[in-house]
Amino acid sequence: MLDVQGLNKAFGGLRAVRDIDASFERGKITAIIGPNGAGKTTFFNLVAGAIRPTSGRILLKGEEMTGLRADLIARRGVARTFQTTALFDHASVLDNLIVGHRLRTRSGFWDALIGSGRLAAEERECRRKAEEALDFVGLSHIGNRLAADVSQDERKRIAFALALTTEPELLLADEPAGGVNPDETNGLAALMRKIVATGVTLILIEHKMRMVMELADKIIVLDHGEKIADGTPQDIRSHQRVIDAYLGADHAAAH
Amino acid sequence: MVIFFQQVLNGLTVGSVYALVALGLTLVYGILHVPNFSHGALYMIGAYAAFFAVNSLGANYWLAMLAAAAVAAIMGVVSERLVFARLKDAPPMHDMIAAIALLLFFEAAVQAYWGAEFHRLAPPFPQIVRAFSLTAPAQRLLIIAAAFGLMLALHLFLNRTWIGSTIIATAQNRQGAALVGIDPAFVSTLTFAISGAIAGVAAVLFAPINLISPTMGDLVITKAFVIIILGGMGSVGGAILGGLIIGFAESFGAFYISTDYKDIIAFALLILILSLRPQGLFPQGAR
Amino acid sequence: MSVRLAITALAIGLALVFPFIAPNDYYLSVMALVYVNALAALGLNLTAGYTGQLNLAHGGFVAIGAYTVGLLTVDYGTPFWIAFALSGVVAAGLGFFVGLLSLRLKGHYFAIFTLCVGSVITLLIEKWDSLTHGVVGVIGIPAPPGLGPIRFDTSIGQYYLVLAFLLLGLFVMRRIVDSLVGRTFVAIRNSEDLAEALGIDLMRNKILAFVISTFYAGVSGALYAGYVRFLGPDIAGVSRTFDLLSASVLGGLGTLTGPVVGTIIVAWLTQYLQFLQDYRMVVFGPLLILALILFPRGIVGSLELWAARRKAMAEPRAPQAAPLAGASENA
Ligand SMILES: Nc1ncnc2c1ncn2[C@@H]1O[C@H](COP(=O)(O)OP(=O)(O)O)[C@@H](O)[C@H]1O
Ligand SMILES: [Mg+2]
């Protein structure tokens, strides 16, 4: 599905991502783990086209997409959720989701001006997609609620719903279970399984190791921008450098 | 040769005044991340404070300069406490709109008291200095000397004192001040005071060769924005360098191109540079 | 919904009968200028309110529309309506190029850049005497000639002319902001990063908003030129942009009718504070800052938020609470 080759990103002197080679299989869940500042989000930013790599290649389904603008990459079927989702707080949840399907529509200014049939049809389609996605994540009952009034868990689900309205083939989820309680974490894990069951390929960044171990088919470990290990959850559990990196991180965090 | 020297002198004079105004602006931007459009009003208020001190209180030029610094600093602090501090969590555009409201408020208030007409501040040294075949009004030399003196003092303050380095730390990282145990609110108030004081002094330096009016800050502040974009928003060194670049571009442009359009030169430069490099000349700020 | 419809009908009805209930022509001219400014504010609101880009050169684009009419009719003998039709196009055309340069810049940089663009427009009008008449201004602009039986050289005719353009402007704006196109703009205001990740072409949409907005500015300027029939460089100034902006903030940035409501309120406040003349900013400045701090969403924005909350409350509570939703996923 996704292949990256020799990917590098430097911010001034800081090499946030170094020489990463990796491939991500269709329909599988790959988790990216690593201590804070390891370059995980930067890796997502590169794949999603939010920033350009310093060097290296990114291939989606074998097609070159290095250096493509983020919106064009989204159109090719790559969606993402952010560490914090910037919802428009003063609109309803459903209103927040309707624009998600915009990239699959073609109406522009002139359609709006004359009130074209195409626009009306596309607006219905966007609304239907939004409702469908909301239903999929189990939140159809809060469609009218203001986004400002939703809980943290609901916010995380809305982020997934928004990503789903773009009809992605590849979904990048950045800490989807950050800041929610253990019960809700299980709920979100179930949601991610459900998403993958529809044929979507999922890459997630996550700190909650229990969830990662249960969910992921494959794990990639980053540290200081480098890939220090990859493999199945079993492989990773016993990997010495991973244990070191994490112990180091825990050690640092304790201070 | 003489003409060339004249332009260099003009460029240095104007450039150092711009640099002083831009310095305060860039400091405030670094701390608050608000483009303080009302900074030009602090400059203007400084000039009027000095004018009032000289003409109504009979103060001499130097006392008037002190008064200007104090009044502009106080106005800066008042706007920070009463307005910007209260808009920290407002929607992103609101602080900019409030800054413009402050600018127009200060201008209207000054105009209500002193009227819209131009005023003049007498120079402390009206002499002309002669050396070899070159001549220079003493006031211009004073501006250059004082401006660079002030920049040096500010540099030493920011880099050699504990409180100054807190300002720098806060500019680089909002939590910087909190980490070393200083109230961030105090840092921003102090920054507003310093930037106001510098603007006040700049106005009093420049006023004897320029006129005083309620809108005298408008063009200066707009150019100061050009300067800090050129120099990198939040960068002290960039503000000084940018100020001099604009100063020279204007004095040579006025001479070789047209006096009428000299005020446009700065903006043309900005448009050109931002078209080529959207993040300015020195994006990360060459501090 | 029907409440909204009733208010709309009432407001339009009031505007239509206003000439017959206004005590004299002075009131009529005040309202006509309000409509002209409201049209410009509508445009400003599309970029600042809906798309989140603070354009401080908006007054400059109003001036460009006004000068297009003023110069073409006075210096080049162009028929008024042809000059009028060109005004929006010229402003929008220039808006396209300015947008192309400036909209790549984010947030503060964009605001500062447009502030500079506004300064350039003002300076050019002041200094380019041979084209613009400089500080002397453009005098003797003709009133809009009548179309068929309708005449616009009376104050009632002018009133209905500008009202018609404001209503048309509102109608078009409503179509835009209520459509997917408007939702796209709002997504950009909300978060550019998120919008881009959702496949929205930022540049294309920001430029579209900017061009529409400057078109509104141009038409408003043209109406102004035909109404006041004299132009000076001051109409391009930042304080004009600021008047439009503060009216929009008071009424509610990012709401359809907020700019119109705000412009009307500011105009009547100005009437009451007329003794202040040039110093009205002494009162308005602090007033606006207070409004920014206390009512950041403006009048219409606060009402809409209140209505949305009520609607959300009225919704029947879900039969199942959130944890159950998780369970249903295993089905
Ligand atoms: N836009 C940026 N500019 C400069 N440095 C950045 C930028 N984005 C991330 N970094 C730096 O890159 C490193 C990796 O960051 P990130 O990818 O966010 O880490 P993670 O998500 O693994 O916690 C950090 O040191 C961070 O400060
Ligand atoms: Mg991260």
Side-chain angles (χ1 to χ4, degrees), chain A residues 9-12 14-17 32-45 51 83 174-175 205 207 222 224-225, chain B residues 284:
Chain A
K9 178 68 197 183
F11 295 112
L14 175 79
R15 293 181 65 190
V17 164
I32 299 179
I33 62 172
N36 271 330
K40 305 180 297 293
T41 301
T42 305
F43 179 76
F44 270 12
N45 283 337
I51 55 179
Q83 245 166 306
D174 198 346
E175 302 195 20
I205 293 174
H207 283 303
L222 296 188
H224 295 296
Chain B
Q284 292 302 315

Side-chain angles (χ1 to χ4, degrees), chain C residues 43 50 72 78 117 159 232:
Chain C
Y50 282 96
L72 281 179
T78 314
V117 171
Y159 174 88

Side-chain angles (χ1 to χ4, degrees), chain C residues 132-309:
Chain C
T132 65
H133 305 219
V135 288
V136 178
V138 185
I139 318 166
I141 301 167
L147 293 170
I150 316 167
R151 298 182 46 183
F152 302 118
D153 51 1
T154 63
S155 44
I156 289 198
Q158 284 266 27
Y159 174 88
Y160 282 117
L161 176 70
V162 293
L163 177 62
F165 272 95
L166 177 63
L167 291 179
L168 183 67
L170 269 168
F171 175 76
V172 171
M173 190 56 75
R174 196 183 82 107
R175 286 222 153 157
I176 295 169
V177 299
D178 278 358
S179 74
L180 276 180
V181 178
R183 284 181 189 277
T184 314
F185 294 160
V186 172
I188 292 173
R189 172 191 68 188
N190 182 39
S191 158
E192 296 198 5
D193 291 337
L194 180 59
E196 206 175 22
L198 291 174
I200 291 169
D201 184 339
L202 295 181
M203 238 356 230
R204 201 188 150 91
N205 281 285
K206 286 198 227 172
I207 288 183
L208 176 62
F210 198 74
V211 168
I212 300 171
S213 149
T214 48
F215 186 84
Y216 271 72
V219 173
S220 160
L223 286 170
Y224 180 86
Y227 190 80
V228 176
R229 300 169 63 184
F230 161 81
L231 295 173
D234 55 308
I235 79 159
V238 179
S239 68
R240 292 274 306 195
T241 303
F242 184 74
D243 283 344
L244 301 173
L245 195 59
S246 43
S248 308
V249 168
L250 282 181
L253 270 178
T255 64
L256 176 65
T257 51
V260 182
V261 172
T263 313
I264 294 173
I265 290 175
V266 168
W268 288 109
L269 266 181
T270 309
Q271 292 305 309
Y272 283 114
L273 299 174
Q274 210 157 37
F275 62 94
L276 289 169
Q277 294 167 10
D278 289 346
Y279 317 127
R280 61 195 185 89
M281 269 302 154
V282 176
V283 176
F284 270 7
L287 219 59
L288 184 80
I289 290 172
L290 265 183
L292 284 168
I293 293 171
L294 300 177
F295 305 103
R297 318 204 59 77
I299 296 167
V300 180
S302 303
L303 285 176
E304 281 185 356
L305 187 60
W306 175 76
R309 273 245 152 76

Side-chain angles (χ1 to χ4, degrees), chain B residues 128-187:
Chain B
I128 303 280
V129 178
R130 280 171 222 282
F132 310 108
S133 60
L134 306 171
T135 62
Q139 184 65 26
R140 287 189 181 266
L141 300 180
L142 170 68
I143 291 175
I144 298 167
F148 280 93
L150 204 54
M151 288 175 208
L152 186 68
L154 185 72
H155 174 82
L156 292 178
F157 170 74
L158 288 177
N159 292 292
R160 296 288 161 80
T161 67
W162 176 67
I163 192 98
S165 40
T166 321
I167 292 184
I168 297 233
T170 314
Q172 284 165 346
N173 167 6
R174 292 233 200 183
Q175 274 78 53
L179 286 181
V180 289
I182 296 183
D183 181 7
F186 172 70
V187 174

